[in-house]
Structures are given as structure tokens and as C-alpha cells.
């Protein structure tokens, strides 16, 4: 399989597991799920609360939240995300990552933990040099995928995405958990919106750098 197609397959599988686990966790916590999106971009298919989108990246679960929607005065809000106990508010964003990391470590063993541990340094190093360091890291990942079975290659890929999702920036699971902890379990604090905007910028910069790195790597692969 072409490395770009293989990467898209791994990304889609990661996103499918990640979003599904968070949805299940929300339901188990008694939180109302407003919508579930698998992927990003234009919607290809919708059924009920589920939306299947064009690009097999990202994905999200929209929960009932008094910060995001108007609630009737007689609604006790027991099923809203931001009115849950602190441990639920912090655990829910991390649930998908936790399951995927456990699955990856189960497949890779000690190698998986090593891969996860160095991923944070690799993410920042690659973002700072998308046309050099990131290219070398992507090449090493492709070489590993070619030499190993799909489950091993997916598990290695998943450890890197788990690390990325745990970065403490808004829009990522780590940032969501961090903001929940900073709120101290309160449904709302006045400073959160401003903090979230500032925490969004570094995560967005890292993401865009890696998008550029993937784009350049894919272009080089197709041109070869």
C-alpha cells in the first residue's frame, strides 16, 4: 500500500476509536451527546446524531454544555458536561487517548512506551523544522511500516498521535483536561474563554507545521 494511503487508513482508524470511546464514556457518565462527527470537512453522510465527513482526521463529540447553549430555566442540567464532578470533566477528554495508548502498549510492549515517551520531543522538533527533522521522522516511520505488520505500524502511529492529543493546548484533549482541572470542577469561570484562545495558538502552530511536513513528504513520495 502507498505510504500516504496507509497513513490515511491509520488516521481514520485512530479517529474512529478515539471518538467512539469518548462517546461511550459520555453516555456512561450520564452526559447528553448532541452530535458525533467522524472526520473533518464537508459532511458526506448523516444518520441521527452521527456525521461522516470527507477527511479522515480529527473528529469530535459535541456534548450538552451550558457554556455553549441556552438551557431552559427548569432544566436541572444534570446531564451537561460542565456540571459534572471534576473527575468526570477531566477524565472524559482523556478517555479516547487512554484506550488507544493502552491498546498500543499492549501490541508493542516496552517498545510502545519508548515510542510514546520520545514522541513529545519529536513533535516539537519536527514542528520547528518541518522540511528537515520532520521529514527524517516521517521517513523513519515509513520504513518501520514497510518492515512490520499493520497492527504494529498502527500501534506505533497511535503512540505518536496519543502524545500529540495530550499536549496542554486548547482544542486538544490534554488542553481540555487542563482547563477542566483549572476550573476546579466549576461549571463556568470568567477567564476560561481568554485562556482557551491563548492556549489554542501554540497547538495550531504545531498542527500547521506538521500538516506542511506531511504535505511535503507526500509530494516527494508521489514525485519519486
Amino acid at each position: 500500500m502507498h505510504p500516504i494511503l496507509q497513513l490515511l487508513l491509520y488516521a481514520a482508524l485512530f479517529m474512529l476509536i478515539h471518538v467512539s470511546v469518548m462517546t461511550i464514556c459520555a453516555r456512561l457518565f450520564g452526559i447528553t451527546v448532541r452530535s458525533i462527527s467522524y472526520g473533518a470537512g464537508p459532511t458526506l453522510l448523516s444518520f441521527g446524531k452521527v456525521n461522516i465527513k470527507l477527511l479522515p482526521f480529527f473528529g469530535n463529540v459535541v456534548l450538552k454544555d451550558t457554556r455553549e447553549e441556552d438551557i431552559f430555566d427548569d432544566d436541572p442540567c444534570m446531564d451537561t458536561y460542565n456540571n459534572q464532578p471534576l473527575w468526570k470533566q477531566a477524565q472524559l477528554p482523556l478517555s479516547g487517548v487512554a484506550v488507544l495508548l493502552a491498546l498500543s502498549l499492549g501490541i508493542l510492549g516496552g517498545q510502545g512506551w519508548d515510542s510514546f515517551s520520545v514522541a513529545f520531543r519529536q513533535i516539537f522538533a519536527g514542528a520547528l523544522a518541518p522540511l528537515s527533522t520532520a521529514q527524517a521522522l516521517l521517513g523513519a516511520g515509513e520504513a518501520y511500516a514497510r518492515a512490520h505488520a499493520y497492527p504494529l505500524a498502527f500501534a506505533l502511529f497511535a503512540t505518536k498521535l496519543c502524545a500529540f492529543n495530550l499536549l496542554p493546548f486548547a482544542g486538544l484533549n490534554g488542553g481540555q483536561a487542563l482547563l477542566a482541572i483549572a476550573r476546579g470542577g466549576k461549571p463556568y469561570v470568567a477567564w476560561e474563554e481568554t485562556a482557551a484562545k491563548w492556549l489554542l495558538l501554540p497547538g495550531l502552530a504545531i498542527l500547521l507545521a506538521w500538516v506542511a511536513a506531511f504535505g511535503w513528504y507526500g509530494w516527494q513520495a508521489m514525485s519519486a
Side-chain angles (χ1 to χ4, degrees):
M1 181 184 297
H2 193 281
I4 300 302
L5 294 178
Q6 193 169 346
L7 175 65
L8 291 175
L9 175 62
Y10 293 158
L13 181 57
F14 183 97
M15 177 266 299
L16 176 64
I17 297 173
H18 190 188
V19 172
S20 297
V21 169
M22 288 185 61
T23 301
I24 293 170
C25 188
R27 297 298 299 271
L28 291 175
F29 285 170
I31 302 171
T32 295
V33 176
R34 293 302 194 197
S35 66
I36 308 157
S37 295
Y38 292 102
T43 300
L44 299 179
L45 179 65
S46 295
F47 48 95
K49 298 180 179 181
V50 179
N51 302 297
I52 308 298
K53 296 182 177 290
L54 177 62
L55 303 176
F57 302 107
F58 309 112
N60 71 305
V61 182
V62 178
L63 305 173
K64 185 178 179 181
D65 192 316
T66 61
R67 298 168 301 173
E68 304 294 336
E69 59 183 284
D70 294 327
I71 305 295
F72 292 113
D73 292 337
D74 59 350
D75 190 333
C77 298
M78 298 299 291
D79 60 341
T80 58
Y81 166 70
N82 63 317
N83 278 281
Q84 300 301 312
L86 173 57
W87 70 270
K88 288 186 179 181
Q89 291 189 43
Q91 183 175 323
L92 179 56
L94 302 177
S95 59
V97 173
V99 169
L100 280 159
L101 184 58
L103 176 63
S104 300
L105 295 178
I107 294 173
L108 293 170
Q111 180 190 7
W113 184 252
D114 292 339
S115 174
F116 175 71
S117 299
V118 302
F120 297 96
R121 175 179 57 80
Q122 292 173 336
I123 289 169
F124 284 100
L128 290 172
L131 300 183
S132 55
T133 303
Q135 300 304 303
L137 292 170
L138 291 171
E142 181 184 349
Y144 184 92
R146 290 184 182 279
H148 296 81
Y150 285 141
L152 290 171
F154 169 73
L156 186 76
F157 177 80
T159 60
K160 308 303 182 184
L161 278 187
C162 283
F164 178 76
N165 277 279
L166 288 176
L167 293 177
F169 303 130
L172 300 175
N173 301 110
Q176 293 171 355
L178 179 64
L179 287 172
I181 293 170
R183 286 197 306 272
K186 296 178 181 178
Y188 170 80
V189 290
W191 50 260
E192 183 177 10
E193 184 175 354
T194 300
K197 289 179 180 178
W198 282 104
L199 285 174
L200 181 65
L201 296 177
L204 183 60
I206 292 173
L207 176 61
L208 291 176
W210 273 100
V211 168
F214 277 115
W216 180 250
Y217 191 84
W219 176 260
Q220 295 291 95
M222 290 186 291
S223 300

